[in-house]
């Protein structure tokens, strides 16, 4: 939107013509170009924030689903099996070490 406004005001020029036009483009900048770069940096930062918020939201939904699953009979059964096999493995390691 800023680029369009700058173009309508005549602040954005096409490629400079000739040798002096190239030198002028290197030594000077367009009147609104600093503002445009600041806006672009802000947009990039906000897009990254949006990505991070999306990832956090997806992670929260996955955690919520795991909690709801752990309350079902099947979830409690698998939780019990996990504890059982953990104790079994520790016992086997202890017996092997003795």
């Amino acid at each position: 939107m800023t680029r369009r406004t700058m173009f309508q005001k005549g602040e954005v020029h096409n490629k400079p013509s000739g040798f002096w036009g190239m030198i002028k483009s290197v030594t000077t900048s367009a009147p609104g170009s600093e503002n445009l770069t600041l806006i672009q940096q802000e947009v990039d930062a906000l897009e990254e924030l949006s990505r991070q918020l999306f990832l956090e939201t997806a992670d929260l939904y996955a955690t919520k689903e795991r909690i709801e699953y752990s309350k079902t009979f099947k979830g409690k059964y698998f939780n019990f099996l996990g504890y059982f096999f953990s104790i079994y493995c520790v016992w086997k390691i202890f017996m092997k070490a003795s």
Side-chain angles (χ1 to χ4, degrees):
M1 194 163 81
T2 303
R3 287 183 185 152
R4 185 175 11 171
T5 305
M6 289 173 59
F7 183 74
Q8 289 172 351
K9 291 180 180 178
E11 295 174 350
V12 175
H13 304 288
N14 291 334
K15 293 182 180 179
S17 60
F19 179 73
W20 291 112
M22 289 178 15
I23 291 178
K24 183 179 177 186
S25 69
V26 171
T27 57
T28 61
S29 59
S33 65
E34 293 86 12
N35 190 25
L36 185 62
T37 56
L38 289 175
I39 291 173
Q40 185 62 43
Q41 288 174 349
E42 187 175 348
V43 167
D44 292 341
L46 290 173
E47 284 177 349
E48 182 62 29
L49 176 65
S50 173
R51 277 187 225 103
Q52 294 300 322
L53 288 174
F54 173 77
L55 293 174
E56 289 291 325
T57 305
D59 189 36
L60 286 174
Y61 278 120
T63 303
K64 182 181 176 186
E65 287 178 2
R66 280 193 301 257
I67 289 171
E68 290 174 357
Y69 178 74
S70 71
K71 293 178 181 178
T72 64
F73 177 75
K74 191 175 180 181
K76 290 178 183 180
Y77 174 71
F78 282 128
N79 193 29
F80 171 76
L81 284 179
Y83 283 120
F84 174 76
F85 283 114
S86 295
I87 292 169
Y88 175 73
C89 289
V90 169
W91 180 69
K92 289 294 269 186
I93 291 171
F94 181 72
M95 295 305 285
K96 190 79 162 174
S98 317

